[in-house]
Amino acid sequence: MTTAEATRTGEAKLAHDDDAVDLPVVTGTEGESAVDIGHLRAETGLITLDPGYGNTGSCTSAITFLDGEQGILRYRGYPIEQLAERSTFLEVAYLLIYGELPTRAELDGFIDEVTRHTLIREEMRHFFDSFPTDAHPMAVLAAGTVSLSTFYPDAQQIFDPVAVEITIKRLIAKLPTLAAWSFKKAIGQPYVYPNNDLGYSANLLHMMFSVPSEEYEVNEDVAKALDLLLILHADHEQNCSASTVRMVGSSHANLYASISAGISALWGPLHGGANEAVINTLERIVADGGNVQKYVDRAKDPDDSFRLAGFGHRVYKNFDPRARIIKAAADRVLRATGADDQLFEVAQRLEEVALHDEYFVERKLYPNVDFYSGLIYRAIGFPKNMFTNCFAIGRLPGWIAQWKEMIESRETKIARPRQVYVGAAEREYVSIEQR
Ligand code: CMC
């Protein structure tokens, strides 16, 4: 499948000095328009300057549509609310990567292939053994993912569809095993091998929480809740980590290397690491006597670097549709697991205060996907530093779909932004004795 191109729908005029240049305006299927500046530098000598890329479209894409003003999120045209209610994570993975919902036979075939690749090479045990016990699981996951390319050199064949297909299946199959083993290493328990009789999310729970000495039965409601979180995380168009995957992949680095870079980008607390930061904040509030207002005031103070993790989003300026679904699920999971809901209660109060506070209202800061997801991971039993690993497992099909679309697109070039240089003008080298 190649990317559909946006349609040319008009022209924009850019006047500069005594010259004016016409720039094509292109429009996508949902009516979003963009000025195509592909010839700007050649015709005017100018480039555009947009730190943080808030006004820059880096590609055309047919994978995910989101409208931040209206709180709309769709994968391949299907509303997230419908997928969350009726689909499964592996079906959503298929949809994102191949563009259409699978038939029963296609889905069974996909699940079968993914399931067959869940084991990781036995040599990788040494790899886990050699990390310090307090290694952050995101570091281990990123390192483990890129190291898969040492075992599967066919991943270098990025234009060979057969090699790409097997790499995709291996990645989806093995990421939960890598994630669970990074956790087992950290707590000093034996690594648990995958059980291919279990579904995808149930298998992750099995590898995380079972021990050889005891019977462990996966709670189906909990596995379903985890599957839901993975669906909600599965793609989010050109966010920081997806753009990283595309950027690294645009140099023709292999898929394992590109995904590993995406995992590192996701780790940051402004991106996927926010789910861990949210729980840290809620715990601090509880330990501090539950004074929610104090932390809201700190977040508003321009002289305090503290921000309310889980609030705000670059694109959503009304509400994050994923947060609504997750909040309802958090309520259900907490009741099902009987987990201590003190943090949930503080989270709800925090949301209530922030949503009515002028600072948050003016800046359109609403709870995002990470605000309640950490509470569900915590109720399931995941330690805080594993939350972002789970997010990475969920985001994997999106990263793969973005990489595949980029590699298959005729528009793709190596990603190489320009800059406006503001450093020293040319000067003579001064020998060390004279400085
Ligand atoms: N708490 C307090 N103030 C905030 C927050 C917050 N969480 N988020 C934004 N602001 C303020 C910010 O200080 C700025 O105020 P002012 O105009 O007075 O300078 C204004 O709101 C606009 O913020 P920005 O930083 O220019 O917005 P951005 O689009 O660059 O950043 C963001 C988006 C998500 C990085 C930011 O809202 C944030 O840091 N949130 C907390 C971290 C978080 O929850 N990240 C997860 C995002 S969703 C999942 C994902 O991407 O993985």
Side-chain angles (χ1 to χ4, degrees):
M1 187 195 300
T2 51
T3 321
E5 280 164 27
T7 317
R8 186 168 174 159
T9 50
E11 264 158 21
K13 241 185 205 4
L14 178 77
H16 173 246
D17 292 339
D18 294 334
D19 284 339
V21 60
D22 287 330
L23 298 166
V25 170
V26 295
T27 303
T29 42
E30 293 288 345
E32 295 168 303
S33 292
V35 181
D36 179 346
I37 57 155
H39 296 113
L40 182 66
R41 187 167 176 276
E43 289 181 23
T44 66
L46 295 170
I47 60 165
T48 56
L49 186 61
D50 185 21
Y53 309 126
N55 306 284
T56 298
S58 59
C59 58
T60 57
S61 179
I63 302 169
T64 289
F65 172 70
L66 76 87
D67 179 329
E69 270 69 39
Q70 297 191 59
I72 294 172
L73 173 61
R74 297 184 202 129
Y75 299 159
R76 301 284 188 186
Y78 296 101
I80 190 65
E81 293 79 6
Q82 291 182 20
L83 294 169
E85 197 181 321
R86 300 172 58 187
S87 191
T88 60
F89 176 62
L90 284 185
E91 183 178 68
V92 165
Y94 186 101
L95 170 69
L96 285 167
I97 296 168
Y98 303 109
E100 296 294 338
L101 283 170
T103 61
R104 167 60 59 202
E106 285 167 339
L107 182 60
D108 288 347
F110 181 66
I111 294 173
D112 194 48
E113 278 190 77
V114 167
T115 307
R116 231 176 306 132
H117 290 284
T118 51
L119 273 180
I120 51 177
R121 289 280 287 267
E122 199 60 17
E123 295 98 308
M124 283 196 76
R125 290 179 73 98
H126 305 301
F127 174 87
F128 285 90
D129 285 343
S130 51
F131 281 115
T133 36
D134 57 356
H136 196 290
M138 277 301 270
V140 180
L141 190 66
T145 302
V146 72
S147 73
L148 288 175
S149 58
T150 64
F151 296 102
Y152 307 109
D154 53 349
Q156 304 296 350
Q157 311 307 321
I158 59 166
F159 295 110
D160 172 355
V162 177
V164 168
E165 273 310 305
I166 186 86
T167 305
I168 290 173
K169 309 287 169 30
R170 282 181 177 136
L171 263 167
I172 298 176
K174 293 178 200 309
L175 211 67
T177 314
L178 294 178
W181 284 26
S182 69
F183 169 65
K184 288 296 190 189
K185 158 72 190 182
I187 58 168
Q189 284 185 1
Y191 307 122
V192 174
Y193 290 99
N195 175 352
N196 289 350
D197 291 337
L198 297 172
Y200 193 81
S201 296
N203 204 6
L204 174 59
L205 294 172
H206 157 75
M207 289 187 286
M208 285 284 303
F209 301 118
S210 69
V211 286
S213 48
E214 275 174 27
E215 203 57 43
Y216 173 82
E217 208 174 309
V218 174
N219 177 328
E220 274 312 313
D221 290 337
V222 171
K224 222 169 153 219
L226 179 57
D227 214 63
L228 171 70
L229 287 181
L230 300 184
I231 291 174
L232 297 177
H233 283 140
D235 193 49
H236 214 231
E237 51 119 300
Q238 307 313 317
N239 55 81
C240 178
S241 55
S243 300
T244 301
V245 169
R246 278 184 180 258
M247 181 167 251
V248 173
S250 78
S251 76
H252 294 178
N254 69 64
L255 186 52
Y256 295 114
S258 305
I259 299 293
S260 170
I263 292 171
S264 297
L266 187 75
W267 189 3
L270 296 188
H271 194 7
N275 50 20
E276 186 179 341
V278 169
I279 299 296
N280 286 335
T281 303
L282 295 177
E283 285 175 348
R284 260 165 82 184
I285 297 176
V286 169
D288 206 4
N291 188 347
V292 160
Q293 188 62 49
K294 177 177 162 188
Y295 287 83
V296 170
D297 291 342
R298 279 195 60 191
K300 287 159 43 176
D301 182 352
D303 299 324
D304 190 332
S305 62
F306 176 79
R307 275 189 172 195
L308 270 188
F311 275 84
H313 197 275
R314 169 62 61 81
V315 181
Y316 291 122
K317 299 298 174 196
N318 187 343
F319 67 93
D320 180 338
R322 302 166 300 172
R324 284 196 172 169
I325 300 169
I326 286 190
K327 184 178 178 186
D331 204 13
R332 284 198 305 273
V333 173
L334 279 139
R335 264 188 274 127
T337 55
D340 159 33
D341 61 358
Q342 205 182 1
L343 294 194
F344 188 46
E345 187 266 321
V346 170
Q348 286 173 301
R349 275 200 290 129
L350 191 60
E351 177 181 1
E352 200 52 32
V353 174
L355 288 182
H356 293 97
D357 188 290
E358 207 180 314
Y359 173 97
F360 286 82
V361 174
E362 252 177 26
R363 289 168 180 72
K364 302 186 190 314
L365 303 172
Y366 297 90
N368 59 46
V369 67
D370 289 322
F371 190 65
Y372 285 106
S373 67
L375 287 163
I376 303 188
Y377 288 131
R378 185 172 167 274
I380 291 175
F382 287 103
K384 275 183 288 185
N385 64 4
M386 275 298 292
F387 296 175
T388 318
N389 267 23
C390 295
F391 192 156
I393 294 169
R395 184 54 56 87
L396 179 63
W399 287 332
I400 292 172
Q402 299 286 346
W403 179 90
K404 197 163 173 286
E405 186 177 72
M406 183 266 309
I407 285 295
E408 291 172 357
S409 168
R410 278 175 298 155
E411 290 176 356
T412 300
K413 294 180 182 158
I414 186 166
R416 204 303 186 183
R418 287 183 176 265
Q419 63 166 18
V420 176
Y421 176 70
V422 294
E426 185 180 2
R427 45 187 172 164
E428 281 291 314
Y429 179 80
V430 181
S431 62
I432 199 159
E433 297 75 23
Q434 288 165 345
R435 281 176 223 159

